[in-house]
Amino acid sequence: MKKGLFNKHAFILSGLLLLLIAVLVACSNSSDTSSSGQDSGSDGGETAEGSKWDGKTLKVQLIGDFSMEDSTDPITGEKTPGLDTLKEEFEKQHPGATVEFILMPWEGYTEKTQAMLTSGEADVYQMPGIADFAAQGLLEPLQPYIEEDSEFSTDIFIDQQVEGWKALGPDSDELEIYGLPFFGDARFITYDKKLFDDWGVEYLSDHPTMEEIKEKAEKMTGTNPVTGEQNYGVWFRGDWSSAFTLLNAAEGINGKWGTGFAWDEVEFEFNSPEMVEGLNWMLDMQEFAPEGIVSNQGNEKWMTKDNNIAIMLNTGPANLVQQTYAQGLEDRIAIAQEFKNDEGKGGLFAGSPITIGKASENKDLAWEWLKFATSDFAQKYFYETGAFPSIKSALEWESVKEYEHLLGPVFEAMSTPYMPRYHWAAAQPRFILTSEIEAALTGKRNAQEALDKAQKESTEWLENR
């Protein structure tokens, strides 16, 4: 009897023990799933994070020569991955979400972006014209997202990039963050060391002055003493980018374009003594350049083994490494900084930020894309397709350190531009100024007359805006 009672109690006890074990195992599995939700999400599993994005479609607008498919670089012959690479990785990290790209060319991007923002056609935008669109109330302020996201910090970006892209909203009292630095860009001076060697001229200093450029350009204009070929000391575009060349020259002697950011506070200084001196310097430089700079001609041999130009002003980083190495010029091409003012600032602030449209219905997912687009993964992808990174960690990439002699000065230029961005450069005053520089370069007006006219017409445009 006792034996039977014992057996009954033992049976009940064993059952309870098995039930307890089952509960503990279930709790353990649940805990594992919860604590590693992001990793599980990366595998595309059904997780809490995955369900958060389930069924959401994110539309991302990009400007430039992007392709969904893999392509071959026409300069280097190297294959570059398509945007599907980014789509797959983002969707993998955010299970349930779908990414759709809307690609557009640079031509007419301002008008097209305006139409897209107004109609809410995309959630995320590449936004070089951020100042105009933020002022219209078409962009989402990003400061609240930054403050609420403990995993994100603006410290990841190269110095001055966040500050340079700040803009005024319709009700802003001061500049605010409407976009994160996406593609980096800068302007610098590039030169061919072989021509300097042929002429026996000392290489440019890291931070040359206008006088240094003029002196060395003059020495290298004429018949090359080694090759017997005609050489030119300098080249710069006399058309669409000439305004930036002039502004940088003025900055080099502590001048500036003017003051103000809000349109009703802007005051142009296009005919200041520094601007006039800068334009006269450009007219001097024109004497050492081949004919055709106003029509973007005369530089056909630049970045080839038959190059005949010693110094190239106002150049950018696009395809710099690819072209240099594809042409076998890695021992010839060198970079110096554009002119800086007494505060160490100067040169065009350029590139593209990335923003969220005010009309987006997927703002949380759009914020996730902004973080993804500025992550090492996405920035390395864009770097491989020819864009320039905007994050500090790029300085440690092997693919960047390998070309440090070229890219180091570019990163320095990115961290020392004139700020904030010349927001009026996307509006009529830039084209007025450019037109008058062309008038001076073609001999229609002297520097003072041209800049007086640019000042008058830009001020009138401002008053009637």
Side-chain angles (χ1 to χ4, degrees):
M1 185 69 179
K2 285 183 178 179
K3 183 177 179 181
L5 181 62
F6 174 79
N7 288 341
K8 182 179 180 180
H9 287 170
F11 176 80
I12 294 172
L13 185 61
S14 297
L16 290 173
L17 182 60
L18 289 172
L19 179 61
L20 178 61
I21 291 172
V23 170
L24 289 174
V25 169
C27 290
S28 174
N29 288 341
S30 174
S31 176
D32 287 347
T33 302
S34 176
S35 63
S36 60
Q38 188 167 1
D39 291 339
S40 297
S42 297
D43 294 331
E46 293 295 330
T47 67
E49 184 182 359
S51 64
K52 181 178 181 180
W53 312 118
D54 191 34
K56 292 185 179 296
T57 298
L58 187 74
K59 296 184 178 180
V60 178
Q61 171 255 37
L62 289 175
I63 311 170
D65 299 326
F66 296 106
S67 171
M68 293 302 301
E69 309 295 333
D70 295 353
S71 60
T72 302
D73 190 301
I75 298 173
T76 65
E78 295 182 359
K79 289 188 176 180
T80 53
L83 287 169
D84 275 336
T85 302
L86 293 184
K87 172 181 169 66
E88 292 171 5
E89 179 63 23
F90 184 78
E91 291 175 356
K92 176 182 173 183
Q93 292 183 17
H94 301 80
T98 300
V99 176
E100 293 182 3
F101 289 102
I102 302 173
L103 307 180
M104 69 166 61
W106 279 104
E107 183 179 4
Y109 79 87
T110 301
E111 296 81 2
K112 294 174 183 174
T113 301
Q114 177 81 54
M116 290 180 65
L117 280 165
T118 304
S119 62
E121 191 172 341
D123 301 288
V124 174
Y125 296 83
Q126 182 183 338
M127 186 62 66
I130 190 170
D132 266 353
F133 296 118
Q136 295 179 54
L138 295 172
L139 304 182
E140 181 76 4
L142 298 184
Q143 191 63 44
Y145 293 87
I146 295 170
E147 292 174 354
E148 294 173 9
D149 194 330
S150 60
E151 297 180 350
F152 180 78
S153 171
T154 55
D155 290 342
I156 66 171
F157 297 108
I158 293 169
D159 292 348
Q160 314 303 332
Q161 292 295 300
V162 174
E163 293 294 321
W165 285 119
K166 284 185 175 179
L168 291 173
D171 302 316
S172 300
D173 295 323
E174 57 185 20
L175 294 170
E176 299 180 67
I177 300 176
Y178 283 89
L180 297 183
F182 183 33
F183 294 153
D185 199 353
R187 294 295 178 271
F188 42 85
I189 300 167
T190 309
Y191 62 98
D192 187 339
K193 293 192 293 184
K194 179 182 182 301
L195 268 61
F196 279 70
D197 291 338
D198 288 350
W199 286 89
V201 175
E202 185 178 1
Y203 296 154
L204 291 182
S205 59
D206 292 340
H207 294 84
T209 62
M210 293 160 66
E211 290 74 19
E212 179 183 345
I213 295 290
K214 181 179 179 181
E215 176 189 346
K216 293 178 177 177
E218 183 175 10
K219 287 181 178 178
M220 293 181 284
T221 300
T223 303
N224 185 306
V226 176
T227 67
E229 300 291 330
Q230 172 66 36
N231 282 177
Y232 301 95
V234 70
W235 194 90
F236 59 93
R237 287 195 67 155
D239 52 358
W240 72 273
S241 67
S242 60
F244 304 134
T245 305
L246 171 57
L247 288 167
N248 181 240
E251 288 162 358
I253 47 179
N254 291 313
K256 57 186 179 183
W257 66 267
T259 57
F261 199 89
W263 286 115
D264 59 356
E265 296 176 354
V266 165
E267 294 183 8
F268 293 113
E269 298 178 18
F270 285 173
N271 60 346
S272 69
E274 293 84 3
M275 290 284 280
V276 174
E277 183 176 341
L279 184 51
N280 276 319
W281 176 81
M282 289 174 65
L283 296 176
D284 290 342
M285 292 299 97
Q286 187 179 22
E287 300 299 317
F288 311 129
E291 294 183 1
I293 59 173
V294 176
S295 55
N296 189 26
Q297 295 180 337
N299 66 334
E300 291 77 13
K301 295 182 180 179
W302 176 249
M303 293 296 276
T304 72
K305 291 182 178 179
D306 297 326
N307 174 47
N308 57 357
I309 297 169
I311 302 169
M312 184 67 70
L313 301 178
N314 196 244
T315 53
N319 296 317
L320 172 67
V321 170
Q322 293 91 333
Q323 283 186 307
T324 299
Y325 280 79
Q327 294 292 327
L329 303 176
E330 54 269 27
D331 295 327
R332 291 176 55 170
I333 298 301
I335 293 174
Q337 297 298 312
E338 287 201 314
F339 309 125
K340 307 295 178 183
N341 62 20
D342 287 347
E343 297 177 349
K345 306 295 183 186
L348 174 68
F349 184 97
S352 291
I354 191 168
T355 63
I356 301 174
K358 191 73 174 178
S360 170
E361 296 179 353
N362 296 309
K363 290 190 176 69
D364 286 344
L365 187 57
W367 172 246
E368 292 296 317
W369 177 267
L370 261 59
K371 291 192 295 179
F372 175 75
T374 54
S375 68
D376 268 40
F377 182 90
Q379 290 281 297
K380 281 184 178 178
Y381 165 83
F382 286 115
Y383 174 61
E384 291 175 1
T385 64
F388 209 77
S390 62
I391 54 177
K392 292 176 182 174
S393 58
L395 292 164
E396 302 303 320
W397 299 349
E398 288 302 318
S399 55
V400 169
K401 293 170 71 173
E402 183 179 358
Y403 308 112
E404 190 170 6
H405 66 294
L406 290 174
L407 300 182
V410 177
F411 280 109
E412 179 183 343
M414 279 182 64
S415 65
T416 56
Y418 189 91
M419 296 187 309
R421 178 177 170 84
Y422 312 128
H423 63 296
W424 49 268
Q428 191 62 17
R430 172 193 167 183
F431 303 107
I432 293 172
L433 181 59
T434 300
S435 176
E436 288 308 309
I437 294 170
E438 290 180 7
L441 291 171
T442 54
K444 295 179 180 176
R445 280 181 279 281
N446 65 37
Q448 185 70 61
E449 292 171 345
L451 294 178
D452 283 347
K453 192 168 187 289
Q455 174 71 13
K456 180 177 182 294
E457 292 184 4
S458 295
T459 301
E460 289 174 351
W461 175 87
L462 197 61
E463 292 170 349
N464 297 319
R465 184 179 180 276

